[in-house]
Coordinates of all heavy atoms in Angstrom, one line a residue:
A1 N 74.3 58.1 212.1 CA 74.5 57.4 213.5 C 76.1 57.1 213.5 O 76.8 56.8 212.4 CB 73.7 56.2 213.4
V2 N 76.5 57.0 214.7 CA 77.9 56.7 215.0 C 78.0 55.2 215.1 O 77.3 54.6 216.0 CB 78.5 57.4 216.2 CG1 79.8 57.0 216.5 CG2 78.4 59.0 215.9
A3 N 78.9 54.6 214.4 CA 79.1 53.1 214.7 C 79.9 52.9 215.9 O 80.9 53.5 216.2 CB 79.8 52.6 213.4
I4 N 79.4 51.9 216.6 CA 80.1 51.5 217.9 C 81.1 50.3 217.5 O 80.6 49.3 217.1 CB 79.1 51.1 218.9 CG1 78.2 52.3 219.3 CG2 79.9 50.5 220.2 CD1 77.2 51.9 220.3
R5 N 82.3 50.6 217.8 CA 83.4 49.5 217.4 C 83.3 48.4 218.6 O 83.0 48.7 219.7 CB 84.8 50.1 217.3 CG 84.8 51.2 216.3 CD 86.2 51.8 216.3 NE 86.5 52.3 217.6 CZ 87.6 52.8 218.0 NH1 88.6 53.0 217.1 NH2 87.8 53.4 219.2
P6 N 83.6 47.2 218.1 CA 83.6 46.1 219.2 C 84.7 46.4 220.3 O 84.5 46.1 221.4 CB 84.1 44.8 218.3 CG 83.6 45.2 217.0 CD 83.8 46.7 216.8
A7 N 85.8 47.1 220.0 CA 86.9 47.4 221.0 C 86.2 48.4 222.0 O 86.7 48.3 223.2 CB 88.0 48.0 220.2
D8 N 85.3 49.2 221.6 CA 84.7 50.2 222.5 C 83.9 49.3 223.5 O 83.8 49.7 224.7 CB 84.0 51.3 221.7 CG 84.8 52.1 220.9 OD1 86.1 52.3 221.3 OD2 84.3 52.7 220.0
V9 N 83.1 48.5 223.0 CA 82.2 47.6 223.8 C 83.0 46.9 224.8 O 82.6 46.7 226.0 CB 81.3 46.7 223.0 CG1 80.5 45.8 223.8 CG2 80.5 47.6 222.1
V10 N 84.1 46.3 224.4 CA 84.9 45.6 225.2 C 85.6 46.4 226.4 O 85.6 46.0 227.6 CB 86.1 44.8 224.4 CG1 87.1 44.1 225.4 CG2 85.4 43.7 223.6
R11 N 86.0 47.5 226.0 CA 86.6 48.5 226.9 C 85.6 48.9 228.0 O 85.9 48.9 229.2 CB 87.2 49.6 226.1 CG 87.9 50.6 227.2 CD 88.6 51.7 226.3 NE 89.4 52.5 227.3 CZ 89.1 53.6 227.8 NH1 87.9 54.1 227.6 NH2 90.0 54.3 228.6
A12 N 84.5 49.3 227.5 CA 83.4 49.8 228.5 C 83.0 48.6 229.5 O 82.9 48.9 230.7 CB 82.2 50.3 227.7
R13 N 82.9 47.4 228.9 CA 82.5 46.3 229.8 C 83.6 46.0 230.8 O 83.3 45.7 231.9 CB 82.2 45.0 228.9 CG 81.7 43.8 229.6 CD 80.4 44.0 230.3 NE 80.2 42.8 231.1 CZ 79.6 42.8 232.2 NH1 79.3 43.9 232.9 NH2 79.3 41.7 232.9
T14 N 84.9 45.9 230.3 CA 86.0 45.7 231.2 C 86.1 46.8 232.3 O 86.3 46.4 233.5 CB 87.3 45.7 230.3 OG1 87.2 44.6 229.4 CG2 88.5 45.4 231.2
Q15 N 85.8 48.0 231.9 CA 85.9 49.1 232.9 C 84.8 48.9 234.0 O 85.0 49.1 235.1 CB 85.7 50.4 232.1 CG 85.9 51.7 233.1 CD 85.8 52.9 232.4 OE1 85.4 53.0 231.1 NE2 86.0 54.0 233.1
S16 N 83.6 48.6 233.5 CA 82.5 48.3 234.4 C 82.9 47.2 235.4 O 82.5 47.3 236.5 CB 81.2 48.0 233.7 OG 80.8 49.1 232.9
V17 N 83.4 46.0 234.9 CA 83.7 44.9 235.7 C 84.8 45.3 236.8 O 84.6 44.9 238.0 CB 84.2 43.7 234.9 CG1 84.7 42.6 235.7 CG2 82.9 43.2 234.0
L18 N 85.8 45.9 236.3 CA 86.9 46.3 237.2 C 86.5 47.3 238.3 O 86.8 47.2 239.4 CB 88.1 46.9 236.4 CG 88.8 45.9 235.6 CD1 89.9 46.5 234.7 CD2 89.4 44.8 236.4
T19 N 85.6 48.3 237.9 CA 85.1 49.3 238.9 C 84.2 48.6 239.8 O 84.3 48.8 241.1 CB 84.3 50.4 238.2 OG1 85.2 51.0 237.2 CG2 83.8 51.4 239.2
A20 N 83.3 47.6 239.4 CA 82.5 46.9 240.4 C 83.4 46.0 241.3 O 83.0 45.8 242.4 CB 81.6 46.0 239.5
A21 N 84.5 45.5 240.9 CA 85.4 44.7 241.8 C 86.2 45.6 242.6 O 87.0 45.1 243.4 CB 86.3 43.9 240.8
G22 N 86.2 47.0 242.5 CA 86.8 47.9 243.6 C 88.1 48.4 242.9 O 88.8 49.1 243.7
F23 N 88.3 48.3 241.7 CA 89.5 48.9 241.0 C 89.1 50.3 240.4 O 87.9 50.5 240.0 CB 90.0 48.0 239.8 CG 90.6 46.8 240.3 CD1 89.9 45.6 240.5 CD2 92.0 46.8 240.6 CE1 90.5 44.5 240.9 CE2 92.6 45.6 241.0 CZ 91.8 44.4 241.2
Y24 N 90.0 51.2 240.6 CA 89.8 52.6 240.1 C 90.9 53.1 239.2 O 92.0 52.6 239.4 CB 89.5 53.6 241.3 CG 88.4 53.1 242.1 CD1 88.5 52.4 243.3 CD2 87.1 53.5 241.7 CE1 87.5 52.0 244.0 CE2 86.0 53.1 242.6 CZ 86.3 52.4 243.7 OH 85.2 52.0 244.5
E25 N 90.5 54.0 238.3 CA 91.7 54.6 237.5 C 92.5 55.6 238.2 O 91.9 56.3 239.1 CB 90.9 55.3 236.3 CG 91.9 55.9 235.3 CD 91.2 56.5 234.1 OE1 90.0 56.7 234.2 OE2 91.8 56.7 233.1
A26 N 93.7 55.5 238.0 CA 94.7 56.6 238.7 C 95.3 57.4 237.5 O 95.9 56.8 236.7 CB 95.6 55.9 239.6
V27 N 95.2 58.7 237.7 CA 95.9 59.5 236.7 C 97.0 60.2 237.5 O 96.8 60.9 238.4 CB 95.0 60.5 236.1 CG1 95.7 61.4 235.1 CG2 93.8 59.8 235.3
T28 N 98.3 59.9 237.1 CA 99.5 60.5 237.8 C 100.4 61.0 236.8 O 100.4 60.8 235.6 CB 100.1 59.3 238.6 OG1 100.7 58.4 237.7 CG2 99.3 58.6 239.6
F29 N 101.4 61.8 237.4 CA 102.4 62.4 236.6 C 103.4 61.4 236.2 O 103.7 60.5 237.0 CB 103.0 63.6 237.3 CG 102.1 64.8 237.3 CD1 101.4 65.1 238.4 CD2 102.1 65.7 236.3 CE1 100.5 66.2 238.4 CE2 101.3 66.8 236.3 CZ 100.4 67.1 237.4
S30 N 104.1 61.5 235.1 CA 105.2 60.6 234.7 C 106.6 61.0 235.2 O 107.4 60.3 235.0 CB 105.2 60.5 233.1 OG 104.0 60.0 232.7
F31 N 106.6 62.1 235.9 CA 107.9 62.5 236.4 C 107.9 62.4 238.0 O 107.0 62.4 238.6 CB 108.1 64.1 236.0 CG 108.2 64.3 234.6 CD1 107.1 64.7 233.9 CD2 109.3 64.0 233.9 CE1 107.1 64.9 232.5 CE2 109.3 64.2 232.5 CZ 108.3 64.7 231.8
T32 N 109.3 62.3 238.4 CA 109.4 62.1 239.8 C 110.8 62.7 240.2 O 111.6 63.0 239.2 CB 109.4 60.6 240.2 OG1 109.4 60.5 241.7 CG2 110.6 59.8 239.6
V33 N 111.1 62.9 241.4 CA 112.3 63.3 241.7 C 113.4 62.3 241.8 O 113.1 61.2 241.8 CB 112.3 64.0 243.2 CG1 111.4 65.2 243.2 CG2 111.8 63.0 244.3
E34 N 114.7 62.7 241.8 CA 115.8 61.7 241.5 C 115.9 60.7 242.6 O 116.1 59.5 242.3 CB 117.2 62.5 241.4 CG 118.2 61.6 240.9 CD 119.4 62.4 240.5 OE1 119.4 63.6 240.4 OE2 120.6 61.9 240.5
D35 N 115.7 60.9 243.8 CA 115.8 60.0 244.9 C 114.7 58.9 244.8 O 115.1 57.7 245.0 CB 115.8 60.7 246.2 CG 116.9 61.5 246.6 OD1 118.0 61.5 245.9 OD2 116.8 62.4 247.5
V36 N 113.6 59.3 244.5 CA 112.4 58.3 244.3 C 112.7 57.6 243.0 O 112.4 56.4 243.0 CB 111.1 59.1 244.3 CG1 109.9 58.2 243.9 CG2 110.8 59.9 245.5
A37 N 113.2 58.1 242.0 CA 113.4 57.4 240.8 C 114.4 56.3 240.9 O 114.3 55.2 240.5 CB 113.9 58.3 239.6
R38 N 115.5 56.6 241.8 CA 116.4 55.6 242.1 C 115.9 54.5 242.9 O 116.4 53.3 242.9 CB 117.7 56.2 242.8 CG 118.7 56.9 241.7 CD 120.0 57.1 242.5 NE 119.9 57.9 243.7 CZ 120.2 59.2 243.7 NH1 120.4 59.9 242.5 NH2 119.9 60.0 244.8
A39 N 115.0 54.8 243.8 CA 114.4 53.7 244.7 C 113.6 52.8 244.1 O 113.4 51.6 244.6 CB 113.8 54.4 245.9
F40 N 112.9 53.1 243.0 CA 112.0 52.2 242.3 C 112.4 52.0 240.9 O 111.8 52.5 239.9 CB 110.7 52.9 242.4 CG 110.1 52.9 243.7 CD1 110.2 54.1 244.5 CD2 109.4 51.9 244.3 CE1 109.6 54.2 245.7 CE2 108.7 52.0 245.5 CZ 108.9 53.1 246.2
V41 N 113.5 51.2 240.6 CA 114.1 51.0 239.4 C 113.8 49.5 239.1 O 114.2 48.6 239.8 CB 115.5 51.2 239.2 CG1 116.0 50.8 237.9 CG2 115.8 52.7 239.4
P42 N 113.0 49.1 238.1 CA 112.7 47.7 237.8 C 114.0 46.9 237.4 O 114.8 47.5 236.9 CB 111.7 47.8 236.6 CG 111.2 49.1 236.6 CD 112.3 50.1 237.2
P43 N 114.1 45.7 237.7 CA 115.3 45.0 237.4 C 115.5 45.1 235.9 O 114.6 44.9 235.1 CB 114.8 43.4 237.7 CG 113.8 43.6 238.8 CD 113.0 44.9 238.4
G44 N 116.7 45.2 235.6 CA 117.3 45.3 234.2 C 116.9 46.6 233.5 O 117.3 46.8 232.2
A45 N 116.4 47.6 234.2 CA 116.2 48.9 233.6 C 117.4 49.8 233.5 O 118.3 49.6 234.3 CB 115.1 49.7 234.3
G46 N 117.5 50.6 232.5 CA 118.7 51.5 232.5 C 118.5 52.7 233.2 O 117.7 52.9 234.2
E47 N 119.4 53.7 233.0 CA 119.3 55.0 233.6 C 118.0 55.7 233.3 O 117.3 55.6 232.2 CB 120.3 55.9 233.1 CG 121.7 55.8 233.8 CD 121.5 56.2 235.3 OE1 121.1 57.3 235.7 OE2 122.0 55.3 236.1
T48 N 117.5 56.5 234.3 CA 116.1 57.2 234.1 C 116.5 58.4 233.1 O 117.6 59.0 233.1 CB 115.6 57.7 235.4 OG1 116.6 58.5 236.0 CG2 115.2 56.6 236.4
L49 N 115.4 58.7 232.4 CA 115.5 59.8 231.5 C 115.4 61.2 232.3 O 114.5 61.3 233.1 CB 114.4 59.7 230.4 CG 114.3 60.8 229.4 CD1 115.6 60.9 228.7 CD2 113.1 60.7 228.6
H50 N 116.4 62.1 232.1 CA 116.3 63.3 232.7 C 115.8 64.4 231.9 O 116.2 64.5 230.7 CB 117.8 63.7 233.1 CG 117.8 64.9 233.9 ND1 118.3 66.1 233.2 CD2 117.7 65.3 235.2 CE1 118.2 67.1 234.1 NE2 117.9 66.7 235.4
V51 N 114.9 65.2 232.2 CA 114.3 66.4 231.5 C 114.7 67.6 232.1 O 114.9 67.8 233.3 CB 112.8 66.4 231.3 CG1 112.4 65.0 230.5 CG2 112.2 66.3 232.6
S52 N 114.9 68.7 231.2 CA 115.3 69.9 231.8 C 114.6 71.0 231.0 O 114.6 70.8 229.7 CB 116.8 70.1 231.6 OG 117.2 71.3 232.1
P53 N 113.9 71.9 231.6 CA 113.8 72.1 232.9 C 112.8 71.1 233.6 O 112.0 70.4 233.0 CB 113.2 73.5 233.1 CG 112.4 73.7 231.9 CD 113.1 72.9 230.7
A54 N 113.0 71.0 234.9 CA 112.2 70.1 235.7 C 110.7 70.4 235.5 O 110.3 71.5 235.3 CB 112.6 70.1 237.2
A55 N 109.9 69.4 235.8 CA 108.4 69.5 235.7 C 108.0 70.0 237.1 O 107.1 69.4 237.8 CB 107.7 68.2 235.3
G56 N 108.5 71.1 237.5 CA 108.0 71.8 238.8 C 108.3 70.8 240.0 O 109.4 70.2 240.0
E57 N 107.4 70.8 240.9 CA 107.6 70.1 242.2 C 107.6 68.5 241.9 O 108.0 67.7 242.8 CB 106.5 70.3 243.1 CG 105.2 69.9 242.7 CD 104.0 70.3 243.6 OE1 103.8 69.5 244.6 OE2 103.4 71.3 243.4
Y58 N 107.3 68.1 240.6 CA 107.1 66.7 240.4 C 108.5 66.0 239.9 O 108.6 64.8 239.8 CB 106.0 66.4 239.3 CG 104.7 66.9 239.7 CD1 104.2 68.1 239.3 CD2 104.0 66.2 240.6 CE1 103.0 68.5 239.8 CE2 102.9 66.6 241.1 CZ 102.3 67.8 240.7 OH 101.1 68.2 241.1
G59 N 109.4 66.8 239.7 CA 110.8 66.5 239.5 C 111.2 66.4 237.9 O 110.5 66.9 237.2
S60 N 112.4 65.9 237.8 CA 113.0 65.9 236.4 C 113.4 64.5 235.8 O 114.0 64.5 234.9 CB 114.3 66.9 236.4 OG 115.2 66.2 237.2
R61 N 112.9 63.5 236.5 CA 113.1 62.1 236.1 C 111.9 61.5 235.6 O 110.9 61.5 236.3 CB 113.8 61.3 237.1 CG 115.2 61.8 237.8 CD 116.2 61.6 236.7 NE 117.5 62.1 237.1 CZ 118.6 61.9 236.5 NH1 118.6 61.2 235.5 NH2 119.7 62.5 237.0
L62 N 112.0 60.9 234.4 CA 110.9 60.1 234.0 C 110.7 58.8 234.8 O 111.7 58.0 234.9 CB 111.0 59.8 232.6 CG 109.8 59.1 231.8 CD1 108.6 60.1 231.9 CD2 110.2 58.9 230.4
R63 N 109.7 58.6 235.5 CA 109.5 57.3 236.3 C 109.6 56.0 235.4 O 109.1 56.1 234.3 CB 108.3 57.4 237.2 CG 107.0 57.4 236.5 CD 105.9 57.2 237.5 NE 104.6 57.6 236.9 CZ 103.9 56.9 236.0 NH1 104.4 55.8 235.6 NH2 102.8 57.2 235.6
Q64 N 110.3 55.0 236.0 CA 110.3 53.6 235.4 C 109.3 52.7 236.0 O 109.2 51.6 235.6 CB 111.7 53.2 235.4 CG 112.6 54.0 234.5 CD 114.0 53.5 234.5 OE1 114.6 53.2 235.5 NE2 114.7 53.4 233.3
S65 N 108.7 53.1 236.9 CA 107.7 52.3 237.8 C 106.5 53.1 238.1 O 106.6 54.3 238.4 CB 108.4 51.8 239.0 OG 107.4 51.1 239.9
L66 N 105.4 52.5 238.1 CA 104.2 53.2 238.5 C 104.0 53.4 240.0 O 103.3 54.2 240.6 CB 103.0 52.5 238.0 CG 101.5 53.1 238.1 CD1 101.5 54.5 237.5 CD2 100.5 52.1 237.6
I67 N 104.7 52.6 240.8 CA 104.7 52.6 242.3 C 104.8 53.9 242.9 O 104.0 54.4 243.7 CB 105.5 51.5 242.9 CG1 105.1 50.0 242.4 CG2 105.6 51.6 244.4 CD1 106.0 49.0 242.8
P68 N 105.9 54.7 242.6 CA 106.1 56.0 243.3 C 104.9 56.9 243.0 O 104.5 57.6 244.0 CB 107.4 56.6 242.7 CG 108.0 55.4 242.0 CD 107.0 54.4 241.6
S69 N 104.4 57.0 241.9 CA 103.2 57.9 241.6 C 102.0 57.4 242.3 O 101.3 58.3 242.8 CB 103.0 58.0 240.0 OG 104.1 58.6 239.4
L70 N 101.8 56.2 242.5 CA 100.5 55.7 243.2 C 100.7 56.0 244.7 O 99.7 56.3 245.3 CB 100.4 54.2 242.9 CG 100.0 53.8 241.5 CD1 99.8 52.3 241.3 CD2 98.6 54.5 241.1
L71 N 101.9 55.7 245.1 CA 102.1 56.1 246.6 C 101.9 57.6 247.0 O 101.3 57.9 247.9 CB 103.5 55.6 247.1 CG 103.7 54.1 247.1 CD1 105.2 53.7 247.4 CD2 102.8 53.5 248.1
L72 N 102.5 58.3 246.0 CA 102.3 59.8 246.3 C 100.8 60.2 246.1 O 100.3 61.0 247.0 CB 103.1 60.5 245.2 CG 103.0 62.2 245.3 CD1 103.4 62.7 246.5 CD2 103.7 62.7 244.0
S73 N 100.1 59.6 245.2 CA 98.7 59.8 245.0 C 97.9 59.5 246.3 O 97.0 60.2 246.7 CB 98.2 59.2 243.7 OG 96.8 59.4 243.5
R74 N 98.2 58.3 246.8 CA 97.5 57.8 248.0 C 97.8 58.8 249.1 O 96.8 59.0 249.9 CB 98.0 56.4 248.3 CG 97.3 55.9 249.6 CD 97.7 54.6 249.9 NE 97.1 54.3 251.2 CZ 97.0 53.1 251.7 NH1 97.5 52.0 251.0 NH2 96.5 52.8 252.8
R75 N 99.0 59.2 249.3 CA 99.4 60.1 250.4 C 98.7 61.5 250.3 O 98.1 61.9 251.2 CB 100.9 60.3 250.4 CG 101.2 61.2 251.6 CD 102.8 61.5 251.7 NE 103.1 62.4 250.5 CZ 104.3 62.6 250.1 NH1 105.3 61.9 250.8 NH2 104.6 63.5 249.2
E76 N 98.5 61.9 249.1 CA 97.8 63.2 248.8 C 96.3 63.0 249.1 O 95.6 63.9 249.6 CB 98.1 63.7 247.5 CG 99.5 64.2 247.2 CD 99.8 65.4 248.0 OE1 99.0 66.4 248.3 OE2 101.0 65.4 248.6
N77 N 95.7 61.9 248.8 CA 94.3 61.6 249.0 C 94.0 61.3 250.4 O 92.8 61.5 250.9 CB 93.9 60.4 248.1 CG 93.8 60.8 246.7 OD1 93.6 62.0 246.3 ND2 94.0 59.8 245.7
E78 N 94.9 61.0 251.3 CA 94.7 60.7 252.6 C 94.7 61.9 253.5 O 94.3 62.0 254.7 CB 95.6 59.7 253.2 CG 95.5 58.3 252.7 CD 96.5 57.3 253.2 OE1 97.5 57.7 253.6 OE2 96.1 56.0 253.2
R79 N 95.1 63.0 252.9 CA 95.2 64.4 253.7 C 93.9 64.8 254.0 O 92.9 64.7 253.6 CB 95.9 65.4 252.8 CG 97.4 65.1 252.6 CD 98.1 66.0 251.7 NE 99.3 66.5 252.3 CZ 99.9 67.5 251.9 NH1 99.4 68.2 250.8 NH2 101.0 68.0 252.5

């Protein structure tokens, strides 16, 4: 038998409570285009990390904020 860890029970319960309250999981890319990366820089953050080659249409900058990816996801879901 597989032992169930207390952390797994807590995670499952937390997920159930948040889902029941209307929260959902969002899976987004960690990369964004340069203009968007500059627009959403948290206070005190340094330069964004640049990767080469770019991650296709998702850009070459590692995002420092979740906001751009969530906005893009929402826009795509509203289509």
Side-chain angles (χ1 to χ4, degrees):
V2 176
I4 298 174
R5 299 176 306 173
D8 295 333
V9 174
V10 171
R11 182 173 192 265
R13 180 68 180 139
T14 302
Q15 184 176 9
S16 294
V17 169
L18 290 173
T19 300
F23 291 90
Y24 299 95
E25 182 177 19
V27 178
T28 63
F29 287 97
S30 298
F31 297 100
T32 190
V33 293
E34 191 167 342
D35 292 343
V36 174
R38 276 197 304 263
F40 293 94
V41 177
E47 275 294 309
T48 57
L49 180 64
H50 180 265
V51 295
S52 183
E57 66 183 277
Y58 300 103
S60 62
R61 297 286 179 176
L62 187 62
R63 63 172 162 74
Q64 294 179 312
S65 170
L66 186 57
I67 295 171
S69 295
L70 291 176
L71 291 174
L72 177 62
S73 179
R74 180 179 175 168
R75 183 178 71 194
E76 291 297 319
N77 287 332
E78 288 179 340
R79 292 173 130 193

